[in-house]
């Protein structure tokens, strides 16, 4: 191996969402650091079969919901308006 081109590979402690801990080797952080997981195979719906819901730690889900809360309602109103408009246009063309 070439010297001074590889990242520092050291031992860290990983804490799962249920509090269990294990040690592993990683390039993350510094030697002896603790990595607290927000999502892991025990809590993620893809592995748990949807039993638990994801915790919105940084507000992305609520931010998305707030941004698009009126999307369906506005879209439906537009469709109804377009249908009514096209019906009136058809009546005018037939006369």
């Amino acid at each position: 191996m070439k010297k001074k081109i590889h990242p520092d590979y050291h031992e860290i402690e990983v804490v799962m969402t249920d509090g269990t801990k294990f040690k592993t080797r990683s390039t993350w952080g510094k030697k002896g650091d603790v990595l607290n997981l927000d999502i892991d195979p025990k809590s993620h719906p893809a592995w748990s079969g949807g039993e638990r819901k994801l915790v919105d730690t940084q507000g992305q889900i609520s931010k998305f919901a707030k941004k698009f809360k009126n999307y369906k309602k506005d879209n439906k109103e537009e469709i109804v308006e377009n249908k009514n408009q096209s019906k009136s246009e058809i009546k005018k063309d037939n006369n």
Side-chain angles (χ1 to χ4, degrees):
M1 288 191 341
K2 290 184 178 179
K3 296 185 187 264
K4 297 185 181 180
I5 66 166
H6 298 284
D8 178 33
Y9 194 61
H10 50 271
E11 191 172 274
I12 64 166
E13 184 176 34
V14 178
V15 180
M16 305 285 271
T17 55
D18 67 348
T20 57
K21 300 176 183 180
F22 66 92
K23 292 191 182 234
T24 187
R25 293 179 50 82
S26 174
T27 58
W28 179 85
K30 300 176 195 148
K31 184 177 181 177
D33 280 353
V34 177
L35 175 62
N36 292 306
L37 299 178
D38 291 333
I39 299 173
D40 62 18
K42 294 180 181 180
S43 65
H44 194 282
W47 290 288
S48 65
E51 296 168 6
R52 298 174 115 189
K53 292 198 175 209
L54 293 176
V55 178
D56 187 14
T57 55
Q58 296 178 353
Q60 290 111 344
I61 296 171
S62 55
K63 193 179 199 180
F64 179 86
K66 183 179 177 185
K67 185 175 181 179
F68 293 104
K69 69 181 177 186
N70 294 325
Y71 178 74
K72 285 185 179 179
K73 184 168 52 172
D74 291 344
N75 195 15
K76 284 180 184 176
E77 289 172 3
E78 244 179 65
I79 292 169
V80 170
E81 286 175 15
N82 288 340
K83 282 183 181 178
N84 291 337
Q85 187 178 20
S86 62
K87 285 179 183 178
S88 62
E89 287 175 6
I90 292 170
K91 286 180 184 177
K92 288 178 186 176
D93 291 340
N94 288 338
N95 292 334

